[in-house]
Amino acid sequence: MKQPLHIIKIGGNIIDNPEKLSAFLGEFSGIKEPKILIHGGGKIATELAEKMDIPQQMIDGRRVTDAETLKLITMVYGGLISKNIVAALSANGDTAIGLSGADANSVLANKRPANPIDFGFVGDVAAVNSENIDKILQAGFVPVFCAITHDGNGQLLNTNADTMASAIATAMSGNYESFLYYCFEKKGVLEDVDNEDSVIPEINPSNYEKLKEEGKIFQGMIPKLDNAFSAIQKGVRAVHILQAEDLSSLILTKRAYGTRITA
């Protein structure tokens, strides 16, 4: 029987709130089975860009990553945020190591084509080096990945953290029983975005299509769900979308929290 591996992605809403981040990292440290943490960037890069007079362009809610912005997010994601998370995990007893996709040649990406929209130095995941990530896990380290990849030719690329988490979970499912968790500020996928108690407990391919047709899934949630179904189809055991505060309770007690995505 394969050993469980927990791949957990946290978003900006947790990173931007010191109290929430500290509480989450305490919960994360309570998970004693092999685990990987993947984080995005939050508002810090945007705030610093403003202070440094680096213009920021957003298209459909996605950041255009020009050369100056790439320098900035590399410093923020791979430096400031990564090292603060690693330091907090170390204080909680985890032997964490902060990584980008370039470290140990872990995550290779292709620069997104400029047509129809030029997003600049944005990468789409091409390959995950599961063998090297496994060596890090086997050595007893907790990998903490920021959402930066590389193209194999020395170019760093900004990559969607949800997609990166899905790709890593999929790649690791060859050696482990992979479980993928998207942790954010809501209790799960909500049928009514204004009602915290309207959590949809389980979504499968058939009711997913029905929920979309009925307009019951918030547009911003659809890319996350598409990533979740992609992971399930490629060997990930289960995907959970849930509130960060419920993560360790779900893993340790096996009780139902948030929304579970199944095949």
Side-chain angles (χ1 to χ4, degrees), residues 131-184:
E131 190 179 330
N132 284 356
I133 296 174
D134 192 33
K135 285 176 185 172
I136 294 165
L137 290 166
Q138 292 297 331
F141 294 113
V142 177
V144 176
F145 281 101
C146 68
I148 291 172
T149 55
H150 73 131
D151 70 353
N153 297 305
Q155 179 63 58
L156 294 174
L157 295 164
N158 184 14
T159 298
N160 180 276
D162 285 354
T163 307
M164 198 164 164
S166 174
I168 290 172
T170 299
M172 300 308 292
S173 66
N175 293 333
Y176 294 87
E177 196 172 43
S178 280
F179 295 87
L180 175 60
Y181 308 84
Y182 289 119
C183 293
F184 70 148

Side-chain angles (χ1 to χ4, degrees), residues 3-262:
Q3 188 178 17
L5 172 65
H6 305 285
I7 298 96
I8 296 136
K9 186 263 171 177
I10 54 169
N13 40 66
I14 300 166
I15 292 162
D16 292 334
N17 185 317
E19 291 78 21
K20 275 189 178 179
L21 181 60
S22 177
F24 168 80
L25 294 174
E27 299 252 319
F28 179 83
S29 292
I31 301 160
K32 298 308 176 190
E33 290 171 325
K35 58 195 175 184
I36 296 171
L37 183 62
I38 293 136
H39 64 86
K43 293 176 187 167
I44 301 168
T46 306
E47 289 167 1
L48 273 177
E50 201 173 308
K51 287 177 185 173
M52 295 168 73
D53 239 7
I54 300 170
Q56 297 294 285
Q57 186 186 1
M58 305 291 280
I59 299 174
D60 297 331
R62 294 177 181 178
R63 191 190 302 273
V64 174
T65 308
D66 61 15
E68 289 304 305
T69 298
L70 182 65
K71 289 178 191 174
L72 176 68
I73 65 162
T74 301
M75 289 188 283
V76 173
Y77 298 3
L80 182 65
I81 295 171
S82 175
K83 299 314 166 196
N84 278 329
I85 287 173
V86 166
L89 290 176
S90 297
N92 286 327
D94 272 339
T95 312
I97 181 166
L99 303 165
S100 72
D103 294 294
N105 193 27
S106 300
V107 186
L108 200 66
N110 295 322
K111 186 172 181 288
R112 189 173 296 170
N115 190 16
I117 299 168
D118 187 358
F119 280 101
F121 293 99
V122 166
D124 296 315
V125 176
V128 174
N129 193 326
S130 58
E131 190 179 330
N132 284 356
I133 296 174
D134 192 33
K135 285 176 185 172
I136 294 165
L137 290 166
Q138 292 297 331
F141 294 113
V142 177
V144 176
F145 281 101
C146 68
I148 291 172
T149 55
H150 73 131
D151 70 353
N153 297 305
Q155 179 63 58
L156 294 174
L157 295 164
N158 184 14
T159 298
N160 180 276
D162 285 354
T163 307
M164 198 164 164
S166 174
I168 290 172
T170 299
M172 300 308 292
S173 66
N175 293 333
Y176 294 87
E177 196 172 43
S178 280
F179 295 87
L180 175 60
Y181 308 84
Y182 289 119
C183 293
F184 70 148
E185 77 279 12
K186 302 289 184 186
K187 289 183 178 178
V189 180
L190 304 178
E191 196 167 316
D192 175 359
V193 76
D194 297 316
N195 180 1
E196 278 290 339
D197 295 320
S198 65
V199 175
I200 303 165
E202 186 171 309
I203 299 177
N204 56 47
S206 60
N207 74 349
Y208 181 40
E209 290 310 315
K210 189 168 181 286
L211 287 162
K212 279 198 291 188
E213 282 167 20
E214 292 171 353
K216 288 182 176 174
I217 291 183
F218 179 60
Q219 278 298 112
M221 184 57 68
I222 289 173
K224 202 180 291 284
L225 286 167
D226 288 344
N227 275 319
F229 279 113
S230 172
I232 291 284
Q233 287 156 10
K234 292 172 184 171
V236 172
R237 177 68 186 274
V239 182
H240 296 267
I241 298 173
L242 72 163
Q243 200 166 35
E245 291 86 338
D246 294 330
L247 176 69
S248 64
S249 298
L250 170 69
I251 293 171
L252 299 173
T253 68
K254 310 294 187 215
R255 284 176 57 201
Y257 288 90
T259 302
R260 179 183 169 99
I261 313 300
T262 67

